[in-house]
Structures are given as structure tokens and as C-alpha cells.
Amino acid sequence: NAHFNVYDNLIIPYAGVSGGLIKNSYRSMTNENPFLRPDAQFVNTNNRFNVFGGLRGNLSSATSYDAGVKYGSYQNMQFFLIDYETDQNRLDNKFKAVYADATLLTVSGSVKYQYKEKIHFTAKGNYYYYHLSYQGYNDKAFHKPNYDLTFSGLYNLKSKILIKADIFVIGSQWALTKEKETGDSITYKPLLLKGIVDCNLGVEYRYSKMLSFFVNFNNIANTRYVRWEKYPTQRFNMMLGLTFVPF
């Protein structure tokens, strides 16, 4: 890694090269996709290299930014598909893992604003371009969105009341669905899943260092969307709770 402070932390160009082995396990896979088959095959991903560069710095004493581009090469990058071929999956509702050699171009940017400890705001986004090859499938990056955006805000009132708001935007993504089945033969077709917008709001009251109460409002817009094929998410929901940390 290398960086150079051009002037007083206002403009800092940076660049670097990285890589390594990404260990895939059933736990890491289900953290990403909870609808995975229990006997899913997992193979480690070899990140041959990442080359990246960008600019970061401060726009003011309260505002910072970071914008960059990264290009990486991967062996056995992991993707997920509904398993239509296993007899134990007669409901066609469990996923399997598939692997492909791939390159990934990522363009990212973020802006952060923090006023003392009272107000904190973050806006960040990523655009992804995949180039890959499957054995037996087409060249779609299944269940990998082409972009994502996150807008987060936090208001801290004397460390007693915390108000948090988040907006998540996820671009469209491809799934591979069954078109028809004739005897032992199954034909497939790509299915484009629409983009996602999810808005959440949370309030926390810290009664003491040991005890706090919270209420979270999720999917405030009451939208119905699908992150994983055949699994529509829950619409508006609310959670009440408390946190107790003994010393």
C-alpha cells in the first residue's frame, strides 16, 4: 500500500495491491444466504490479486470523503442458485453453491459527516461489474447486485437518546429459474430480480450504563421485495426490546 498527503489531509491519493485465500465454510455461506442446503459444497476462493487506487481526504473539519476503483481476479468465486436437481429438494426452495473464475471491477465512494458526537451521517455506494465463466450456466453473476447504496444517520442526545435511520438501496440481480421439466430433463432461464429500497428507523434510550431500551421500525415503506429467489421479505415490522450488560 502507498499513499501521499498532498496538502494538509485534504487530498490523499493512494494505491495498492493485495490478494489471498478466502476461506468459505458452511457458516460463512449461510451468513450470506440462510436458505442454503445443509450439504452444500464449499470450496475456498483464491483471490489472485486486487489492484486498487483512489483519493481520500477531508472537505472540512467535520466532513471526509473516499473515492476509489478496484480490479480483482478470483478463482472459484462463489455464487448461489436454487437446486432443482436433487430429489431431497422437491419444494425447489433450497440453494446450492456454484463456482466460477471471475474478474470484478468495483467503483466505490463515500462521504461522512460528523459533528462532535451529536450528529453522524454517512453516504456510500458501490458499482460492480463481473466478468466470469460457468460450466453449464451462462455468464450472469447470480444473486450479486450490480450496485448498492447506503445512507445512514445517527443523532445522539447527550448519550441518553439515540435516533438511527438507514436507507438501503440494492440494484437488480439475476437468478436462474426453472423454465420447464420434461422427464429427467430440465431447462432453465435467467430471471431478473428487481432492485430493493429498504428504510429503517431505530430509537434507543440508555437508562444507565447497564440498562437500555430500544424500538426498531423496519421496512417503513412496507415494500415487498425478493433478495433471494422465492423468498419474499417481510413487510413493515417492529421490534421492542431491552439490553442489559452486567458488570
Side-chain angles (χ1 to χ4, degrees), residues 50-197:
N50 283 318
V51 180
F52 59 90
L55 291 173
R56 65 173 180 261
N58 297 320
L59 299 175
S60 68
S61 60
T63 308
S64 61
Y65 70 93
D66 190 341
V69 178
K70 180 172 69 173
Y71 179 81
S73 175
Y74 298 83
Q75 182 182 21
N76 294 324
M77 180 178 276
Q78 192 176 81
F79 302 90
F80 298 102
L81 296 175
I82 289 282
D83 182 7
Y84 292 105
E85 300 170 354
T86 306
D87 291 339
Q88 290 84 351
N89 189 32
R90 296 187 182 278
L91 296 178
D92 293 339
N93 64 348
K94 294 294 182 183
F95 282 82
K96 65 180 179 180
V98 297
Y99 299 87
D101 292 350
T103 59
L104 172 59
L105 175 68
T106 305
V107 181
S108 59
S110 66
V111 177
K112 297 181 180 180
Y113 173 81
Q114 182 164 354
Y115 177 71
K116 298 181 179 179
E117 295 184 358
K118 193 172 185 180
I119 298 175
H120 181 88
F121 177 79
T122 302
K124 58 183 179 180
N126 299 283
Y127 170 78
Y128 308 98
Y129 178 77
Y130 294 86
H131 183 270
L132 54 128
S133 61
Y134 287 101
Q135 293 183 356
Y137 305 103
N138 56 25
D139 60 351
K140 305 296 184 185
F142 296 112
H143 286 286
K144 299 290 187 181
N146 54 357
Y147 71 88
D148 58 60
L149 302 170
T150 304
F151 304 93
S152 302
L154 172 66
Y155 179 74
N156 186 341
L157 182 60
K158 297 181 179 179
S159 295
K160 296 293 290 184
I161 299 176
L162 281 75
I163 302 174
K164 297 175 287 185
D166 298 290
I167 301 175
F168 302 100
V169 182
I170 299 177
S172 58
Q173 54 187 325
W174 289 97
L176 191 67
T177 190
K178 181 167 62 176
E179 186 174 25
K180 65 179 179 178
E181 183 174 0
T182 305
D184 296 332
S185 177
I186 303 175
T187 58
Y188 303 93
K189 66 177 181 179
L191 173 67
L192 184 63
L193 304 179
K194 295 180 180 180
I196 296 167
V197 179

